[in-house]
Amino acid sequence: MFGSEKKTPPFLKRIVSAVVAAASAACLALGAVTCSAEKGKTFTVGFDAEFPPYGYKDDNGEYVGFDLDLAQEVCDRNGWELVKQPIDWDSKDMELKTGAIDCIWNGFTMNGRESAYTWSTPYVNNSQVVVVKKGAGIDRLSDLSGKIVAVQADSSALAAFTGAEAEEENKQLAESFSELQQVGDYNSAFMNLESGAVDAVCLDYGIANYQVSSRGDAFVMLDEVVSSEEYGIGFLLGNTELRDRVQTTLLQMLDDGTFMRIADKWELGSSVCLSADSAYIDSVNSDIEKQSFGSLLGEISGELAKGLLASLSIFILTLVIALPLGLLISFGRISKHKLLNIPLTIYISIMRGTPLMLQLLVVFFGPYFVFGIQTSASYRFIAVIIGFSLNYAAYFAEIWRGGIQAVPRGQYEAAEILGYSRVQAFFRIGFPQTVKNILPAVTNEVITLVKDTSLAFAVAYTEMFTIAKQVAAAKTTILPLFIAGLFYYVLNFIVAFVMNRLEKKLSYFR
Amino acid sequence: MAQYNTTELLKVTGIKKSFGDNEVLKDISMRVGESEVISILGPSGSGKSTLLRCLTMLEKADGGEMYYCGERAMYTENGRTVFAPKPELKRIKSYFGLVFQNFNLFPHFSVLQNIIDAPYRCSAGTDRRSKRKRGSFLRR
């Protein structure tokens, strides 16, 4: 941590260094840099690793970018060690508050956030622009009426449309959209755009430039801009000491030409605006009204309740489809026909062996990127249900199979002697006992499913946890995540209660 | 329903059954008349259960002929075992019952259901809803 040089008595040093050596690996993984007292100061930069050209992972797996190069130069000149800490953008305030990072240096928009951080002077002038697919017939902002427009969650583009300080003109523009779709990252936004799931993406000029030039000429940028804005380096409110040192170093770099050299390297020469005479925007805290805890709680719960409906519909539809589908698949698995047995075994192996998140992406983007089929906007929800059902059916199939095979053979023989047909024997004798056998395992899966619904964010389907993350970012508090946790817990408590009652009801004498 | 041949409830001739190379039943012939109680004795693994399973068609015998109440349930043609046609076989199967070594009661049925299911299935025919009929089985 910056400014935390400690004096350690010599007799303790040996013990400490042993401990530090052991702990440093863990510290690195956590992104914490508090155990650096021995090795001089570190300077931890928090950034979104999917934000080229400001900060991203290059082909060699290294974190690189304009901002990271600047930060490296600043550290070199101050004798600090640079720690590049990729963060979840929604959690940036938490990271800063807990001291896990020293600053947010990542194409960080100042406008609208002036009083939330201690800022450097702006160093990049960036505007919000709109990118569309070439030949889509969208030439100006007014053409976006009735279209689906994607923005990154908690991005400046979103703030420009719906934020508290959004211009009236932009608010009306956003109203005219058929939908303002929030996506997790720009890669996903452009996959959505390419597949036709959204009609336009609104994003920062620098990123738009980078994305359009690196993705070939399939996309065009509109000439009209939604808003103009500036980037600065955000420090924890009140940390002027660190801000001043970084700022001074930056101005030195501007003087000797290093700053422009780095800007040109990243083709940002035209958008940088650092100058010695721009004044600090110093934080004015007075206009942030303090909300009472009760009203905050109520507001957050109200927001989450909307998402709960989306989560519940995923949950219920998945159960209704996956349970019978799993039973059918288990028949095929038990069957001795190789044509049924082998493909189903492979299917189950793949479904259980790969992440559900990946399967959702494949189901959602597959139709376009594999078969070239344009999907409609409502396909997002359908894809979520298909993905979840296919995945859960695989698990349920194996549970069903275990349950069916656990019914003693003698039961079927007795049924045969009594004159049941094979189908009758299964549904009247085998099936009721199978249901009893599988209940505990099914309860496990159902509870996991309740929590897994949050994975729908992978295809930008807005369910409860996505909303919780968005509200947490907007209100800069971790509270929504805990309330969401409480909602999941209550839901699962009900599930466990119902399943427990069912188990008791079926616990006849054996 | 065909007239019961009461003097010869069960007649089997030349029943054979092997499991792989292990020949368990070698040319068994027997008959059971009305009111007769027949015990089959033998050490463990000598084929008592296999014989019963063949007779009740839980196991397919490898050869021989089998008649219940004079109706042919199984015969051998060109070295292959052939059962009677399905509707006929269903009727023939209602002529006999089997009590298993470990009972095999249906755990999800009530005691009443376990008791009445067999006679109910065998004779109730189309009148499946009649509670009184079930009751009359119990009183007997």
Side-chain angles (χ1 to χ4, degrees):
Chain A
M1 177 66 47
F2 180 80
S4 62
E5 203 169 13
K6 287 181 197 151
K7 291 273 178 277
T8 316
F11 70 95
L12 267 178
K13 268 195 174 168
R14 240 174 263 169
I15 307 169
V16 169
S17 61
V19 174
V20 164
S24 58
C27 285
L28 269 178
L30 288 169
V33 284
T34 39
C35 54
S36 54
E38 306 273 282
K39 290 182 77 184
K41 291 158 188 163
T42 59
F43 180 62
T44 307
V45 171
F47 66 102
D48 173 4
E50 295 179 52
F51 204 65
Y54 295 97
Y56 64 102
K57 204 169 203 161
D58 73 0
D59 295 339
N60 303 323
E62 307 273 347
Y63 292 120
V64 295
F66 174 54
D67 284 344
L68 294 178
D69 275 2
L70 287 180
Q72 186 64 60
E73 184 68 24
V74 167
C75 285
D76 289 350
R77 290 181 183 215
N78 284 291
W80 302 333
E81 190 191 338
L82 175 66
V83 178
K84 304 169 179 177
Q85 181 55 56
I87 56 170
D88 177 8
W89 197 240
D90 289 341
S91 316
K92 57 186 179 305
D93 296 317
M94 252 91 80
E95 299 269 355
L96 199 59
K97 275 180 191 167
T98 57
I101 57 175
D102 289 318
C103 69
I104 300 165
W105 193 340
N106 185 206
F108 195 28
T109 306
M110 305 168 74
N111 313 62
R113 295 192 182 107
E114 288 87 347
S115 52
Y117 305 88
T118 288
W119 289 99
S120 69
T121 55
Y123 65 98
V124 168
N125 183 358
N126 207 345
S127 302
Q128 295 303 309
V129 298
V130 173
V131 174
V132 297
K133 223 171 167 175
K134 191 172 254 176
I138 301 171
D139 302 319
R140 57 179 72 85
L141 291 180
S142 55
D143 291 340
L144 291 172
S145 164
K147 304 287 189 205
I148 303 170
V149 179
V151 294
Q152 192 183 23
D154 196 36
S155 65
S156 25
L158 179 64
F161 284 126
T162 63
E165 277 146 64
E167 289 167 41
E168 201 49 46
E169 201 181 326
N170 284 337
K171 277 186 178 167
Q172 278 170 10
L173 182 62
E175 284 293 311
S176 76
F177 300 157
S178 91
E179 203 179 328
L180 187 62
Q181 179 74 52
Q182 295 187 33
V183 293
D185 59 83
Y186 284 116
N187 191 39
S188 159
F190 273 82
M191 282 171 78
N192 270 287
L193 183 59
E194 190 176 350
S195 70
V198 303
D199 299 305
V201 179
C202 183
L203 69 176
D204 300 355
Y205 171 81
I207 304 151
N209 224 352
Y210 176 87
Q211 295 278 3
V212 169
S213 61
S214 65
R215 283 174 190 271
D217 51 6
F219 305 105
V220 285
M221 202 190 299
L222 301 189
D223 292 334
E224 276 181 89
V225 299
V226 175
S227 71
S228 45
E229 62 169 6
E230 290 169 325
Y231 286 171
I233 308 159
F235 298 87
L236 185 64
L237 207 54
N239 193 358
T240 49
E241 184 201 345
L242 181 57
R243 189 269 313 270
D244 290 346
R245 287 195 64 175
V246 171
Q247 179 73 34
T248 313
T249 316
L250 268 180
L251 291 177
Q252 283 166 6
M253 285 158 59
L254 182 68
D255 279 345
D256 62 24
T258 318
F259 181 83
M260 281 313 293
R261 188 173 51 74
I262 296 174
D264 287 336
K265 175 184 163 193
W266 294 99
E267 297 174 7
L268 289 167
S270 59
S271 38
V272 292
C273 68
L274 184 67
S275 87
D277 46 44
S278 33
Y280 290 137
I281 306 172
D282 256 318
S283 319
V284 207
N285 227 343
S286 55
D287 61 333
I288 296 181
E289 49 186 296
K290 281 276 166 216
Q291 217 173 348
S292 81
F293 186 73
S295 79
L296 185 65
L297 206 65
E299 195 179 320
I300 293 171
S301 303
E303 289 279 323
L304 292 185
K306 287 182 217 155
L308 185 63
L309 200 67
S311 293
L312 272 179
S313 51
I314 299 175
F315 169 71
I316 291 169
L317 278 173
T318 301
L319 268 191
V320 167
I321 296 171
L323 271 172
L325 185 62
L327 182 59
L328 281 180
I329 295 167
S330 74
F331 289 154
R333 272 278 281 154
I334 295 169
S335 132
K336 290 185 178 72
H337 288 285
K338 284 208 168 118
L339 267 173
L340 270 177
N341 194 336
I342 292 175
L344 287 176
T345 307
I346 294 171
Y347 158 79
I348 289 173
S349 168
I350 291 173
M351 283 298 160
R352 296 200 304 183
T354 59
L356 175 53
M357 196 192 286
L358 175 66
Q359 293 162 14
L360 288 173
L361 288 173
V362 168
V363 173
F364 183 57
F365 289 117
Y368 178 78
F369 285 97
V370 180
F371 305 109
I373 302 166
Q374 291 276 344
T375 50
S376 68
S378 59
Y379 181 64
R380 197 179 299 280
F381 180 65
I382 298 170
V384 168
I385 298 301
I386 293 176
F388 270 92
S389 299
L390 286 180
N391 181 276
Y392 271 80
Y395 285 93
F396 284 140
E398 289 298 271
I399 294 176
W400 277 118
R401 185 174 64 86
I404 291 170
Q405 289 175 341
V407 175
R409 257 200 78 75
Q411 291 284 312
Y412 291 106
E413 290 181 348
E416 198 184 327
I417 293 290
L418 289 179
Y420 285 81
S421 71
R422 282 189 61 178
V423 176
Q424 281 176 326
F426 178 74
F427 281 105
R428 300 213 187 136
I429 305 299
F431 186 73
Q433 298 183 55
T434 300
V435 169
K436 181 193 141 95
N437 287 340
I438 68 170
L439 266 185
V442 167
T443 306
N444 263 349
E445 284 303 314
V446 172
I447 285 176
T448 308
L449 174 60
V450 169
K451 292 174 289 180
D452 271 0
T453 54
S454 61
L455 284 175
F457 86 89
V459 294
Y461 182 72
T462 314
E463 42 61 63
M464 185 165 65
F465 203 71
T466 310
I467 292 183
K469 283 192 354 185
Q470 289 166 2
V471 176
K475 297 211 176 295
T476 66
T477 160
I478 201 164
L479 194 61
L481 301 182
F482 282 107
I483 299 178
L486 190 69
F487 276 36
Y488 284 115
Y489 181 78
V490 169
L491 217 60
N492 272 329
F493 191 83
I494 297 170
V495 168
F497 179 77
V498 170
M499 297 303 270
N500 196 24
R501 288 294 289 269
L502 209 57
E503 251 179 75
K504 279 204 178 119
K505 216 179 153 189
L506 292 181
S507 67
Y508 41 74
F509 173 73
R510 210 176 230 294
Chain B
M1 195 174 288
Q3 191 62 45
Y4 283 3
N5 181 345
T6 48
T7 54
E8 210 166 59
L9 294 183
L10 171 64
K11 186 180 94 176
V12 286
T13 48
I15 293 281
K16 292 192 193 78
K17 180 70 188 172
S18 318
F19 294 107
D21 292 337
N22 183 16
E23 202 180 1
V24 181
L25 303 180
K26 300 165 196 167
D27 198 17
I28 307 278
S29 300
M30 62 178 283
R31 50 200 292 164
V32 182
E34 196 177 19
S35 304
E36 272 187 298
V37 176
I38 311 279
S39 297
I40 302 165
L41 304 177
S44 160
S46 61
K48 306 177 298 293
S49 296
T50 304
L51 177 59
L52 280 178
R53 289 172 67 85
C54 286
L55 296 182
T56 51
M57 289 169 269
L58 286 175
E59 208 78 66
K60 194 176 185 179
D62 297 338
E65 281 196 333
M66 191 156 82
Y67 296 83
Y68 275 99
C69 306
E71 289 187 54
R72 187 168 68 171
M74 190 197 93
Y75 59 99
T76 312
E77 198 176 69
N78 302 330
R80 288 181 56 210
T81 315
V82 184
F83 286 115
K86 264 202 170 165
E88 235 176 290
L89 197 65
K90 200 176 174 206
R91 187 179 65 238
I92 293 170
K93 277 183 174 180
S94 72
Y95 296 165
F96 61 81
L98 175 66
V99 177
F100 289 85
Q101 262 167 346
N102 52 356
F103 304 124
N104 276 325
L105 294 172
F106 298 136
H108 58 296
F109 278 10
S110 66
V111 175
L112 176 66
Q113 280 175 309
N114 262 307
I115 294 171
I116 66 174
D117 196 74
Y120 165 62
R121 274 191 174 275
C122 291
S123 61
T126 52
D127 187 13
R128 305 176 68 98
R129 298 275 170 271
S130 167
K131 270 258 162 134
R132 217 190 304 157
K133 203 151 190 175
R134 292 181 183 209
S136 73
F137 282 129
L138 256 197
R139 258 175 261 119
R140 262 196 266 162

